[in-house]
Amino acid sequence: MSKKTLIVIGNGMVGHHFLEQFVASPGAAEYEILVFGEEKQLAYDRVHLSEYFTGSTHADLAMGTADWYTAQGIKLRLHEPVTALDRDQRTVTTPKGEYGYDELILATGSFPFVPPIEGREHPHCFVYRTLEDLDAIRSSAREGKSGVVVGGGLLGLEAANALRSLGLQAHVVEFAPRLMPVQLDTDGGALLRHKIEELGVQVHTEKATIDIVEGENARLRMNFSDDSHLETDLIVFSAGIRPQDALARASGLEVGERGGIVVNDQCTTSDPHIHAIGECALWDQRIFGLVAPGYTMARTLASVLNSDRDAAFTGADMSTKLKLLGVDVGSIGDAHGQTPGARNIRFNDEQAGHYRRMVISEDGKTLLGAILVGDNSHYDTLLQYALNDIVLPDNPETLILPEGLGGAPALGPDALPETASICSCHNVTKGDICGAIEAGCSDLGGVKAETKASTGCGGCTALLKNVVDSELEKRGVEVNRSLCEHFPYNRQELFHLVKVNGIRTFRTLISQHGKGQGCDICKPVVGSILATCWNEHILATDHVPLQDTNDTFMANMQKNGTYSIVPRIPGGEITPDKLIVLGEVAKEYDLYTKITGGQRVDLFGATLSELPEIWEKLIAAGFETGHAYGKSLRTVKSCVGSTWCRYGVQDSVGMAIQLENRYKGLRAPHKVKMAVSGCTRECAEAQSKDFGVIATENGWNLYVCGNGGMRPRHADLFATDLSDEELIRTIDRVVMFYVRTADRLQRTSVWMENLEGGLGYLKQVILEDSLGICAELEEHMNGIADTYQCEWKTAVEDPEKRKRFREFVNLPEQKDPVQQWTTERGQRRPVLESA
């Protein structure tokens, strides 16, 4: 019996997900599967498309491999667009031929909407959709200074961040009165705008572009309807998407009034042999522009083609948790409160940069929607209340208040019903996770492999781990928190063993308390612990094999194999003479220079053999290592404080220098950042740091356990009106308690969240000395400060250590003959493969 033919048009994320689901089902045996893709590349992750500008390649973003398609018996035809569909003959036509089908799936996705603006065809006008689009944008940006994104929605802000990463002055032009008008209200949009503009992206709202013409001082000029204009070197249109339904229209399939291929609950079109999934499909008059609903459609259709009569797509939750230019944004359910009788609860902390809005039912029992800007730590809890109709507490405002103002703790795994959605990308519920554990999965990796949870966007990773650990412990399974297979201990336990037993080498530790030879997980952890306990040089004989590349060479390896050097500039204060030295060194070695976000100067492009030479020149001028390569104190950022600023009430620069000189060189579970602001205007952004200090008329307020990065968290107020001595003593205690008890690669923010009792417990330990260890913590910190050494200086003065920096022992000039360079914006940079 010959097989039927199944054709899939579209090789994007949703089309690929359908194939994964379908080939794993019994029904796949009945079909020959043929897939057509318009792009040259295999399906790739568009959710993380912007990472292409920060070094990711197509291989990094790819959803699968050509070998996988071959192994599944799928015939994949890339760069072969389907140009015609004949429903009567059941054939599709491409530039290379005609192909028959029995069942056809349209997974054609969407295309970017470009407003009908005169001049939009200019060669420096782009859309932001494919890798080829991004290549074109990068090429245009090389000779440009500024770029504009038309559209202030989700993708528009992603595109703005991409332009910024390319070194352009980025602008966002939005027709609506606020950014992200679909997800955010007026207050939320205003805060998001403020945060984005603080990052250097200029926002222009309520702007309607009339035309695009040649610019006088830039390539292009955008003329607006209010008679204003904006000049720029390139324009990226990100003004929304439209369903890719051209084939359906031409073949007579039913489409919506505003586009979209009409489908029923089984994702079948008006033709029973043609189906549609993803952004091209119109279900119940709705287009779903997120990947999770597309995945749900794909799973539904796979079940339909396996004759599952109960399979049905019934809509999807469109809640989103995002990080836009580093700013947390969350939107849940009826975020705008359009449900009749809906009531609102708002928390707006403009000083901290947090805005939260809850939309609740008229009877106060149900959460209908929410908006979060600046802090998404409440998102998971609020989402579970909304999705599972969990009855709100008597005081629902506690769900969005900070802990210090009566905020409720996060919703624990045990409070979630079996139907709670843990991973929306793959539609995994708590019940599915419990089922996987009952079936034999005994750890997080097994549950992920079985259910696919957390293998999509990754936003549910923390919640998934909490649920898995909770369920395993309830079944009497001891949750393995060992560091790795070589040590049956976590980091805190290893620290205790090293400190109490006076262990000074990895070899002694693993022989007495572990097994095997160690690995890339335990070696750096033990190296960090040994450095914290005994403060020996990083290139001590016993420590060298424990380090990664950056620590080994005390510089950060870059993508082309060269290194960057960051000398310490305490508090950001630097003399003109030292600035001149940095410039002279950069010119002598032809280094790319960049001011970092922590008020330092980064020197890029040094070869391995040049490192000691450069360090010698910097050390002679009074510089020392900035420890940018280590899990240690990175920077103490400061404003100018009372020395210059008319608002400053304390010497923030002096305090920043004092703190940096005290904690420099301290090895920790993760990098540590600090900041000192001279007044409550907070120009040093102290509340986004692990340790933030803000001046008051009576001394210093201390904030702890904040961080920026992928998961920003504002620090919590820990103590107020401290004297200089009290401030340093308190930080000593918190720093050393963190170093002793935190897990591997755990930021201070996550560490505190995982402490049983949270902020309240930490205050008891540090301020009330409830464990009786504060004197010991202070003594330990004093010992580290007293034995500090500049690792660069020690290395260049030791002939044996210096030998480690030879690249070519038989090549006198010691220069890499292969590395290629080019010039960009007046500085040397490496030639990239994708350039």
Side-chain angles (χ1 to χ4, degrees):
M1 180 178 177
S2 61
K3 290 187 176 182
K4 296 181 288 185
T5 299
L6 172 67
I7 288 182
V8 180
I9 302 177
N11 187 228
M13 296 179 71
V14 172
H16 179 80
H17 188 71
F18 165 78
L19 293 171
E20 287 183 320
Q21 302 299 308
F22 188 62
V23 297
S25 70
E30 301 177 16
Y31 291 92
E32 294 282 354
I33 304 174
L34 183 58
V35 178
F36 292 95
E38 192 170 25
E39 293 187 63
K40 297 178 182 178
Q41 299 98 340
L42 281 165
Y44 52 87
D45 184 354
R46 295 188 198 274
V47 173
H48 297 98
L49 188 62
S50 294
E51 294 176 12
Y52 189 62
F53 282 136
T54 57
S56 292
T57 64
H58 169 260
D60 298 323
L61 299 172
M63 308 291 292
T65 65
D67 289 342
W68 180 84
Y69 282 82
T70 301
Q72 305 302 324
I74 300 172
K75 296 178 181 178
L76 179 63
R77 296 182 177 274
L78 295 175
H79 201 43
E80 187 173 346
V82 174
T83 56
L85 164 60
D86 188 328
R87 292 167 52 202
D88 294 330
Q89 299 299 318
R90 292 195 197 173
T91 61
V92 298
T93 302
T94 77
K96 296 182 179 180
E98 188 175 88
Y99 307 86
Y101 68 84
D102 293 286
E103 299 289 332
L104 176 69
I105 299 173
L106 297 171
T108 48
S110 61
F111 63 90
F113 169 67
V114 178
I117 300 170
E118 185 177 346
R120 64 188 181 279
E121 302 88 358
H122 192 281
H124 290 285
C125 290
F126 307 96
V127 293
Y128 196 85
R129 185 64 176 172
T130 68
L131 292 179
E132 287 188 355
D133 293 333
L134 270 59
D135 284 334
I137 292 169
R138 176 157 40 199
S139 178
S140 174
R142 290 196 184 104
E143 302 300 326
K145 296 181 179 179
S146 66
V148 169
V149 176
V150 177
L154 303 180
L155 191 58
L157 297 180
E158 286 276 355
N161 193 37
L163 295 186
R164 195 178 61 144
S165 73
L166 293 173
L168 300 178
Q169 170 59 59
H171 298 257
V172 175
V173 172
E174 168 60 46
F175 177 75
R178 64 179 181 273
L179 296 174
M180 294 182 62
V182 175
Q183 291 83 11
L184 301 182
D185 59 12
T186 300
D187 289 339
L191 177 58
L192 178 60
R193 175 175 184 160
H194 174 70
K195 284 180 168 289
I196 287 175
E197 288 183 331
E198 278 189 330
L199 297 171
V201 176
Q202 297 186 34
V203 178
H204 313 264
T205 53
E206 298 184 274
K207 294 291 184 182
T209 307
I210 295 178
D211 57 19
I212 299 169
V213 298
E214 295 290 332
E216 295 179 6
N217 301 306
R219 294 172 184 154
L220 303 169
R221 170 175 166 146
M222 302 174 68
N223 292 316
F224 302 126
S225 59
D226 60 3
D227 294 330
S228 63
H229 67 272
L230 177 62
E231 293 208 346
T232 181
D233 292 307
L234 65 90
I235 298 172
V236 177
F237 288 102
S238 183
I241 59 173
R242 298 292 184 270
Q244 189 70 270
D245 57 11
L247 275 176
R249 286 180 182 275
S251 67
L253 285 173
E254 183 182 356
V255 296
E257 183 178 346
R258 296 187 177 181
I261 307 166
V262 175
V263 297
N264 60 17
D265 292 354
Q266 284 67 48
C267 297
T268 301
T269 70
S270 53
D271 184 321
H273 297 287
I274 301 178
H275 318 272
I277 53 177
E279 292 175 341
C280 67
L282 179 71
W283 176 88
D284 194 26
Q285 299 300 312
R286 297 179 66 189
I287 295 287
F288 295 89
L290 298 177
V291 69
Y295 280 2
T296 302
M297 288 182 175
R299 290 190 293 270
T300 299
L301 182 55
S303 297
V304 168
L305 293 180
N306 276 271
S307 302
D308 181 352
R309 295 183 179 181
D310 296 326
F313 178 77
T314 57
D317 175 57
M318 294 294 284
S319 301
T320 53
K321 179 170 68 171
L322 306 154
K323 188 180 298 295
L324 300 167
L325 288 90
V327 180
D328 274 356
V329 177
S331 179
I332 296 172
D334 181 14
H336 292 284
Q338 297 175 341
T339 303
R343 296 178 177 179
N344 296 277
I345 301 174
R346 291 179 173 87
F347 173 78
N348 194 358
D349 185 345
E350 294 182 357
Q351 176 65 27
H354 294 168
Y355 174 72
R356 303 175 197 128
R357 172 184 175 182
M358 291 172 59
V359 181
I360 64 176
S361 60
E362 190 171 10
D363 60 8
K365 295 182 179 180
T366 304
L367 180 68
L368 303 175
I371 291 174
L372 304 168
V373 178
D375 177 16
N376 268 341
S377 60
H378 300 257
Y379 180 89
D380 288 340
T381 291
L382 294 175
L383 181 65
Q384 294 304 329
Y385 269 98
L387 291 183
N388 298 293
D389 292 327
I390 299 174
V391 177
L392 290 169
D394 292 337
N395 299 308
E397 67 275 6
T398 60
L399 297 179
I400 59 173
L401 287 175
E403 184 177 334
L405 296 178
L411 198 65
D414 291 346
L416 300 178
E418 294 285 298
T419 55
S421 174
I422 305 301
C423 174
S424 59
C425 287
H426 293 281
N427 196 31
V428 181
T429 65
K430 179 183 175 182
D432 295 329
I433 294 168
C434 294
I437 292 172
E438 293 290 350
C441 294
S442 59
D443 57 20
L444 179 63
V447 172
K448 291 173 71 172
E450 177 67 23
T451 65
K452 301 296 184 183
S454 191
T455 60
C457 72
C460 62
T461 302
L463 180 59
L464 173 67
K465 185 179 187 308
N466 288 339
V467 172
V468 171
D469 288 352
S470 174
E471 292 301 320
L472 288 173
E473 288 175 341
K474 282 195 294 186
R475 288 163 174 76
V477 178
E478 183 179 356
V479 177
N480 185 3
R481 294 185 172 88
S482 300
L483 186 66
C484 67
E485 63 187 47
H486 303 105
F487 287 102
Y489 305 100
N490 59 29
R491 183 190 175 280
Q492 180 179 353
E493 292 165 338
L494 283 178
F495 189 101
H496 183 76
L497 289 171
V498 169
K499 187 70 175 175
V500 171
N501 296 305
I503 296 172
R504 304 184 80 96
T505 68
F506 179 82
R507 184 177 303 174
T508 302
L509 182 65
I510 200 167
S511 65
Q512 294 182 1
H513 301 285
K515 61 181 181 180
Q517 303 299 314
C519 64
D520 290 339
I521 293 176
C522 62
K523 286 182 177 179
V525 171
V526 173
S528 174
I529 292 172
L530 293 173
T532 304
C533 289
W534 317 121
N535 219 23
E536 295 176 346
H537 191 267
I538 194 170
L539 294 189
T541 303
D542 293 322
H543 297 345
V544 169
L546 309 180
Q547 313 300 338
D548 63 14
T549 300
N550 288 354
D551 274 313
T552 298
F553 298 116
M554 295 176 286
N556 289 348
M557 177 180 278
Q558 303 302 315
K559 64 197 302 182
N560 68 330
T562 62
Y563 293 82
S564 72
I565 300 167
V566 186
R568 188 173 300 284
I569 304 176
E573 182 181 77
I574 188 168
T575 64
D577 287 340
K578 284 189 174 182
L579 277 174
I580 290 170
V581 169
L582 291 178
E584 289 174 340
V585 169
K587 287 184 69 175
E588 180 178 352
Y589 291 90
D590 199 8
L591 304 178
Y592 172 93
T593 57
K594 172 77 171 62
I595 304 295
T596 73
Q599 300 176 339
R600 306 292 181 267
V601 179
D602 206 341
L603 308 173
F604 291 82
T607 62
L608 184 63
S609 60
E610 290 172 338
L611 292 178
E613 300 173 16
I614 294 172
W615 294 340
E616 281 182 321
K617 296 178 186 295
L618 295 176
I619 291 166
F623 289 104
E624 58 186 15
T625 172
H627 286 97
Y629 48 83
K631 296 293 184 284
S632 56
L633 175 70
R634 292 291 175 87
T635 63
V636 182
K637 190 175 181 179
S638 74
C639 63
V640 296
S642 59
T643 306
W644 292 97
C645 180
R646 67 183 186 274
Y647 301 109
V649 295
Q650 300 286 352
D651 179 12
S652 59
V653 180
M655 178 52 70
I657 293 172
Q658 188 175 354
L659 293 177
E660 187 152 354
N661 284 329
R662 180 163 182 78
Y663 302 109
K664 63 187 180 184
L666 169 68
R667 298 293 165 142
H670 208 293
K671 63 185 176 184
V672 175
K673 296 183 179 182
M674 300 184 181
V676 184
S677 286
C679 73
T680 56
R681 289 175 178 265
E682 252 284 70
C683 292
E685 301 168 328
Q687 291 179 76
S688 64
K689 302 297 188 287
D690 298 277
F691 295 87
V693 179
I694 300 177
T696 71
E697 295 286 351
N698 302 314
W700 306 98
N701 285 352
L702 174 62
Y703 292 78
V704 298
C705 301
N707 64 260
M710 292 182 64
R711 187 180 165 223
R713 181 188 188 278
H714 271 70
D716 289 302
L717 180 61
F718 192 72
T720 60
D721 294 333
L722 301 173
S723 66
D724 290 6
E725 294 76 15
E726 289 171 334
L727 174 67
I728 291 172
R729 184 166 62 248
T730 304
I731 296 177
D732 280 357
R733 294 175 177 183
V734 180
V735 163
M736 294 314 302
F737 190 52
Y738 161 64
V739 166
R740 290 183 172 203
T741 61
D743 204 352
R744 165 182 174 265
L745 299 179
Q746 190 174 54
R747 292 297 297 265
T748 58
S749 57
V750 180
W751 167 69
M752 191 187 73
E753 289 171 356
N754 289 345
L755 284 176
E756 188 172 349
L759 181 65
Y761 170 72
L762 188 59
K763 286 183 177 181
Q764 290 175 357
V765 173
I766 302 303
L767 301 180
E768 302 172 19
D769 198 13
S770 61
L771 299 181
I773 61 172
C774 286
E776 182 184 344
L777 296 175
E778 292 173 30
E779 182 182 0
H780 191 172
M781 187 60 236
N782 284 332
I784 290 174
D786 292 343
T787 56
Y788 168 78
Q789 60 182 310
C790 173
E791 293 170 353
W792 287 351
K793 188 173 187 292
T794 302
V796 298
E797 291 177 349
D798 185 329
E800 290 302 313
K801 290 183 174 62
R802 191 157 181 160
K803 287 180 181 178
R804 299 187 59 81
F805 298 89
R806 293 180 298 178
E807 285 185 283
F808 305 100
V809 295
N810 60 344
L811 192 64
E813 63 271 22
Q814 293 191 328
K815 298 290 184 182
D816 188 342
V818 177
Q819 179 62 58
Q820 300 295 311
W821 300 90
T822 187
T823 300
E824 184 172 39
R825 293 184 293 278
Q827 296 200 78
R828 187 181 70 155
R829 69 153 176 82
V831 173
L832 306 178
E833 291 183 4
S834 58

